[in-house]
């Protein structure tokens, strides 16, 4: 894309699938049409060539979330790979909106993949906790939002991010301690008009000015100059953002202003959404306990939820008719296994057996329940080991280690 050219498609409420940072809905029984979303958002599909290129450059098998198409779309990934090839630095930026104490499975997916990116490319990572955003949008106090940020930081730390390469920050805290971060926010705010955010996010005149100006705060960590203490004041390190596709509007806006404020356009890699327990037409949501598997759910709660809800066909077993319809692809238990089962041989076998009806839905659910209980049980144990002191360490700005960034 030439500089000065805009990449901001207009917000439209008339399309069949609806995806923005706050709503995800599809009228289709097969869920969101992600190929259409690529066209609508103007991103690029992750194809086999790109996956092979990643494998060849890193000498490592691509992560199952890449191979199974969960991370399916991108902007400028080839540029990032060229940097890696030339031993030039880049850093990762991702985030979490701390809307409640409990995170769910859907929140975990981008972080699991981000950890793999960090380990594979050996790069620093910044994680933004948007407590300001959640205060502005939700019915919670600013103190609660800040407390949730610290609680969520524990879940993120429990995934095992390298302390020497990872900085986690709450917006509320970091804005008041780092002038360079706030300076970048101001620069973005000056460059984006109300009419542009209205076009990108669908805001209208009744929305608070907090909502209208927030996108600048999510944009600013895309610029390494927002982190002078992390990168030894190196101001132009390129950034790669792993996120779910609903966050893309923020980064379209960011890319549009990047060069005007003297920064580098961030690259982005997008994932699909983990569907709600009730079906593929929407995503897991923290505000609906019955739609989500929480990281705090007990073994029994997991069993009950999968049995009761993850049953898009109303409890039937695999029948000839079911087979004919090929409906296993939209089956929630099958979908969750796509995200969670790391063993490829096992996954392929299950897929084959389920598609042809050798494996019944109940058996598939049993496999999922066991796997979920194992993953969430392990997470619970790891989280219990995260101390306040550790949270403080991750959240203290300090020089981040990286073999390339000097
Ligand atoms: N707005 C995101 C949310 O509500 C949080 C977020 C901030 C984020 N910065 C990000 C997500 C960068 C992905 C990448 O969850």
């Amino acid at each position: 894309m030439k500089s000065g050219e805009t990449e901001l498609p207009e917000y439209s409420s008339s399309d069949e699938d609806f995806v923005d940072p706050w709503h995800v809905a599809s009228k289709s029984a097969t869920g969101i049409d992600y190929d259409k979303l690529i066209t609508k958002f103007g991103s690029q599909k992750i194809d086999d060539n790109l996956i092979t290129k990643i494998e060849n450059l890193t000498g490592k098998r691509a992560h199952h979330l890449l191979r199974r198409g969960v991370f399916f779309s991108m902007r400028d990934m080839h540029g990032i790979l060229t940097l890696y090839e030339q031993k030039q630095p880049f850093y990762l930026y991702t985030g979490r909106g701390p809307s409640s104490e409990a995170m769910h499975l859907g929140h975990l997916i981008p972080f699991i993949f981000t950890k793999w990116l960090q380990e594979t490319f050996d790069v620093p990572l910044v994680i933004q906790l948007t407590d300001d955003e959640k205060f502005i949008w939700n019915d919670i106090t600013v103190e609660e939002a800040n407390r949730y940020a610290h609680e969520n930081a524990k879940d993120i730390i429990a995934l095992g991010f390298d302390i020497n390469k990872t900085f986690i920050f709450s917006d509320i805290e970091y804005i008041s301690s780092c002038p360079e971060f706030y300076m970048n926010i101001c620069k973005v705010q000056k460059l984006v008009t109300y009419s542009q955010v209205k076009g990108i996010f669908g805001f209208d005149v009744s929305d608070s000015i907090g909502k209208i100006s927030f996108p600048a705060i999510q944009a600013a960590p895309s610029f390494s100059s927002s982190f002078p203490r992390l990168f030894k004041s190196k101001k132009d390190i390129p950034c790669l953002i792993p996120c779910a596709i609903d966050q893309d509007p923020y980064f379209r806006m960011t890319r549009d202003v990047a060069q005007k404020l003297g920064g580098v356009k961030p690259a982005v890699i997008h994932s699909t959404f983990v569907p709600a327990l009730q079906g593929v037409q929407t995503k897991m949501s923290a505000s609906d306990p019955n739609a989500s598997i929480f990281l705090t759910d007990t073994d029994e709660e997991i069993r009950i939820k999968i049995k009761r809800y993850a049953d898009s066909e109303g409890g039937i077993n695999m029948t000839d008719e079911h087979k004919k319809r090929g409906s296993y692809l939209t089956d929630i238990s099958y979908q969750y296994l796509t995200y969670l089962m790391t063993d490829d041989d096992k996954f392929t076998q299950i897929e084959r057996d389920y598609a042809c009806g050798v494996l019944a839905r109940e058996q598939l659910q049993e496999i999922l329940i066991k796997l979920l209980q194992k993953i969430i049980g392990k997470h619970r144990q790891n989280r219990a080991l995260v101390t306040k002191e550790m949270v403080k360490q991750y959240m203290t700005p300090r020089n981040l280690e990286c073999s390339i960034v000097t």
Side-chain angles (χ1 to χ4, degrees):
M1 173 146 322
K2 282 176 257 135
S3 67
E5 204 175 312
T6 185
E7 50 179 289
L8 305 178
E10 284 292 290
Y11 170 95
S12 149
S13 54
S14 62
D15 290 343
E16 248 190 54
D17 289 348
F18 190 88
V19 174
D20 78 3
W22 306 280
H23 318 90
V24 173
S26 171
K27 291 187 188 116
S28 156
T30 51
I32 308 282
D33 183 333
Y34 285 105
D35 283 336
K36 261 197 199 152
L37 218 52
I38 286 179
T39 313
K40 188 176 164 197
F41 284 3
S43 59
Q44 281 172 290
K45 197 177 168 79
I46 295 182
D47 55 16
D48 290 345
N49 283 342
L50 180 64
I51 296 177
T52 309
K53 192 168 161 185
I54 293 174
E55 291 187 330
N56 289 342
L57 278 174
T58 62
K60 218 170 144 178
R61 182 116 203 257
H63 194 270
H64 74 275
L65 291 174
L66 256 181
R67 283 185 280 107
R68 294 185 196 157
V70 171
F71 277 83
F72 71 104
S73 155
M74 58 92 181
R75 298 176 187 277
D76 281 351
M77 262 313 279
H78 288 284
I80 290 290
L81 294 180
T82 304
L83 290 172
Y84 180 72
E85 203 171 2
Q86 298 173 344
K87 303 204 180 321
Q88 298 286 317
F90 69 92
Y91 72 101
L92 298 168
Y93 157 42
T94 192
R96 150 92 189 129
S99 50
S100 71
E101 210 167 302
M103 283 170 67
H104 61 60
L105 208 60
H107 297 133
L108 221 52
I109 297 301
F111 285 107
I112 289 173
F113 186 64
T114 301
K115 181 165 179 261
W116 181 82
L117 287 173
Q118 181 182 44
E119 287 169 358
T120 303
F121 292 99
D122 187 21
V123 282
L125 160 68
V126 300
I127 300 175
Q128 178 179 46
L129 301 172
T130 52
D131 41 10
D132 49 352
E133 175 193 18
K134 293 301 151 182
F135 164 66
I136 289 167
W137 258 267
N138 297 356
D139 189 18
I140 52 175
T141 66
V142 75
E143 289 81 8
E144 269 168 335
N146 184 243
R147 191 175 67 78
Y148 294 157
H150 285 253
E151 287 304 315
N152 290 180
K154 286 188 193 159
D155 283 295
I156 295 167
I157 293 167
L159 296 175
F161 289 102
D162 184 340
I163 179 117
N164 297 314
K165 296 179 185 147
T166 308
F167 174 52
I168 305 177
F169 63 99
S170 120
D171 281 343
I172 290 170
E173 293 162 33
Y174 192 54
I175 282 177
S176 46
S177 78
C178 180
E180 290 83 355
F181 179 41
Y182 188 55
M183 283 177 197
N184 278 337
I185 293 169
C186 291
K187 287 182 197 174
V188 177
Q189 285 174 340
K190 188 168 175 175
L191 285 167
V192 181
T193 64
Y194 171 61
S195 144
Q196 281 171 317
V197 284
K198 186 169 166 250
I200 304 167
F201 298 98
F203 296 142
D204 67 36
V205 286
S206 68
D207 281 308
S208 73
I209 59 170
K211 287 186 181 180
I212 291 158
S213 62
F214 173 76
I217 302 172
Q218 186 153 329
S222 313
F223 306 114
S224 66
S225 53
S226 294
F227 304 101
R229 274 167 284 179
L230 274 53
F231 303 129
K232 294 195 179 145
S233 296
K234 220 169 172 294
K235 292 197 174 65
D236 53 358
I237 304 174
C239 171
L240 168 63
I241 307 171
C243 61
I245 187 95
D246 63 334
Q247 299 298 304
D248 188 65
Y250 288 108
F251 305 119
R252 288 202 295 271
M253 185 197 87
T254 309
R255 286 167 58 86
D256 207 51
V257 297
Q259 283 160 347
K260 289 176 218 148
L261 61 72
V264 186
K265 278 187 184 190
V268 193
I269 182 160
H270 306 111
S271 73
T272 59
F273 310 108
V274 176
L277 276 161
Q278 288 83 350
V280 291
Q281 288 171 318
T282 190
K283 62 170 180 170
M284 265 195 191
S285 145
S287 54
D288 182 356
N290 294 331
S292 312
I293 301 283
F294 289 97
L295 303 182
T296 46
D297 282 349
T298 62
D299 284 0
E300 199 41 35
E301 281 167 332
I302 292 170
R303 170 169 295 281
I304 291 171
K305 283 186 188 178
I306 297 297
K307 286 278 177 208
R308 189 175 300 163
Y309 300 110
D311 218 353
S312 42
E313 299 292 309
I316 55 164
N317 262 341
M318 189 67 86
T319 61
D320 285 347
E321 200 203 338
H322 183 92
K323 272 185 264 169
K324 251 188 282 159
R325 280 182 285 152
S327 59
Y328 79 97
L329 288 173
T330 56
D331 186 288
I332 290 301
S333 300
Y334 167 78
Q335 287 259 335
Y336 287 2
L337 286 174
T338 310
Y339 286 87
L340 299 172
M341 182 161 270
T342 50
D343 184 329
D344 278 316
D345 294 340
K346 227 169 156 183
F347 179 72
T348 316
Q349 186 66 43
I350 287 170
E351 188 176 30
R352 211 179 294 138
D353 290 350
Y354 194 47
C356 71
V358 169
L359 196 73
R361 163 166 285 138
E362 276 185 3
Q363 292 170 297
L364 187 84
Q365 286 185 343
E366 239 3 272
I367 296 172
L368 175 66
I369 290 168
K370 294 237 165 61
L371 183 62
L372 274 172
Q373 288 173 339
K374 193 171 136 203
I375 293 171
I376 292 189
K378 190 166 153 243
H379 182 80
R380 212 182 294 130
Q381 279 176 357
N382 290 343
R383 193 187 192 277
L385 298 175
V386 179
T387 60
K388 261 196 172 160
E389 188 49 41
M390 282 163 76
V391 174
K392 202 172 152 201
Q393 279 175 9
Y394 276 92
M395 295 182 76
T396 302
R398 73 220 110 89
N399 193 216
L400 293 188
E401 229 177 63
C402 172
S403 49
I404 306 169
V405 181
T406 50

